[in-house]
Amino acid sequence: EIVLTQSPATLSLSPGERATLSCRASQSVSTYLGWYQQKFGQVPRLLIFDASNRAPGIPARFSGSGSGTDFTLTISSLEPEDSAVYYCQQRSMWPLTFGGGTKLEIK
Amino acid sequence: EVQLVESGGGLVQPGGSLRLSCAASGFTFGSYWMHWVRQAPGKGLECVARIKIDGSSTTYADSVKGRFTISRDNAKNTLYLQMNSLRAEDTAVYYCTRGMLYLEDVFDIWGQGAMVTVAS
């Protein structure tokens, strides 16, 4: 099973700042990695698929990069509504796995 | 509007059974892989099972293999999860999710979730 490790566990930033979230895979997943946002009490939402492709309707301030084992989700200029838990997910092999999440708090 | 609506959740005793349903609307259900993803209270996400567009292939997480069965009825636009021999650790919100077209393991649409509680 591919283990995804996300860091940091919690991130606290102010509106307008840049957020950088990391996801590391226990073995190469090529670019088969996505990112999901889950706001408190809500359903997860797809942000990025295959490392760097924004899902339809996702604002341009969200971007993804990486390949192999190291990936990054960047939010270029934080908005208050970006407060959420962010999960990475690999689709390189079954079982599909998610990271443990990064909680992003907006001050 | 593209929508997935789960039903069938509830409280069940350990060792019991429950069947979840997921009604799809707003898209051609029979053209998409479908999945069940669960989230234990306060925890992360776990992929439970997936099924191919025509139901000919299914895959399960080791934690549920032999106890859960995923199925679909494309004529009724409905996905199912039959859960048997339930354990306390199966307590979770169960989400029905759609695999993106041609990227079947990317979850682009999620239902609102069905809560399953396994307790005596």
Side-chain angles (χ1 to χ4, degrees), chain A:
Chain A
E1 172 175 317
I2 296 176
V3 176
L4 299 178
T5 302
Q6 292 187 241
S7 61
T10 304
L11 191 56
S12 184
L13 295 168
S14 298
E17 288 193 297
R18 180 186 191 92
T20 302
L21 286 66
S22 174
C23 178
R24 177 163 289 177
S26 59
Q27 64 187 78
S28 177
V29 298
S30 183
T31 56
Y32 300 132
L33 187 112
W35 292 91
Y36 296 81
Q37 176 195 62
Q38 186 176 32
K39 297 181 180 180
F40 183 76
Q42 295 189 19
V43 173
R45 176 174 74 147
L46 175 67
L47 297 176
I48 301 287
F49 64 94
D50 288 358
S52 60
N53 299 279
R54 264 191 309 276
I58 300 303
R61 66 178 185 276
F62 291 92
S63 63
S65 63
S67 66
T69 61
D70 291 297
F71 299 86
T72 301
L73 174 69
T74 302
I75 310 173
S76 59
S77 179
L78 286 167
E79 303 277 350
E81 62 264 27
D82 296 334
S83 178
V85 178
Y86 292 83
Y87 295 97
C88 56
Q89 177 242 334
Q90 65 80 21
R91 69 176 189 93
S92 176
M93 67 170 60
W94 187 268
L96 311 177
T97 50
F98 289 88
T102 290
K103 183 177 182 180
L104 174 60
E105 300 174 341
I106 309 300
K107 296 176 186 175

Side-chain angles (χ1 to χ4, degrees), chain B residues 4-9 20-23 36-37 93-97 110-114:
Chain B
L4 298 170
V5 179
E6 299 94 337
S7 61
L20 302 181
S21 299
C22 170
W36 289 99
V37 176
V93 175
Y94 285 74
Y95 295 105
C96 165
T97 69
W110 296 63
Q112 87 287 352

Side-chain angles (χ1 to χ4, degrees), chain B residues 74-96:
Chain B
N74 288 346
K76 295 183 177 179
N77 293 335
T78 303
L79 177 72
Y80 303 100
L81 186 67
Q82 177 67 44
M83 303 182 292
N84 299 331
S85 302
L86 282 160
R87 306 167 180 167
E89 54 265 36
D90 296 318
T91 294
V93 175
Y94 285 74
Y95 295 105
C96 165

Side-chain angles (χ1 to χ4, degrees), chain B:
Chain B
E1 180 191 3
V2 174
Q3 202 171 7
L4 298 170
V5 179
E6 299 94 337
S7 61
L11 173 64
V12 62
Q13 292 187 338
S17 298
L18 210 57
R19 188 175 86 154
L20 302 181
S21 299
C22 170
S25 59
F27 65 98
T28 305
F29 180 71
S31 296
Y32 292 83
W33 285 64
M34 297 296 296
H35 303 251
W36 289 99
V37 176
R38 70 183 179 184
Q39 186 170 35
K43 302 296 184 183
L45 299 161
E46 179 187 15
C47 297
V48 172
R50 67 180 177 184
I51 186 167
K52 196 175 177 181
I53 56 176
D54 59 359
S56 62
S57 175
T58 58
T59 324
Y60 298 91
D62 285 347
S63 58
V64 307
K65 199 174 296 182
R67 300 188 298 122
F68 289 14
T69 303
I70 187 173
S71 61
R72 64 192 299 164
D73 186 334
N74 288 346
K76 295 183 177 179
N77 293 335
T78 303
L79 177 72
Y80 303 100
L81 186 67
Q82 177 67 44
M83 303 182 292
N84 299 331
S85 302
L86 282 160
R87 306 167 180 167
E89 54 265 36
D90 296 318
T91 294
V93 175
Y94 285 74
Y95 295 105
C96 165
T97 69
R98 188 182 80 171
M100 187 182 277
L101 199 60
Y102 307 122
L103 297 171
E104 55 265 13
D105 294 328
V106 176
F107 311 127
D108 66 342
I109 303 294
W110 296 63
Q112 87 287 352
M115 183 70 211
V116 172
T117 303
V118 184
S120 54

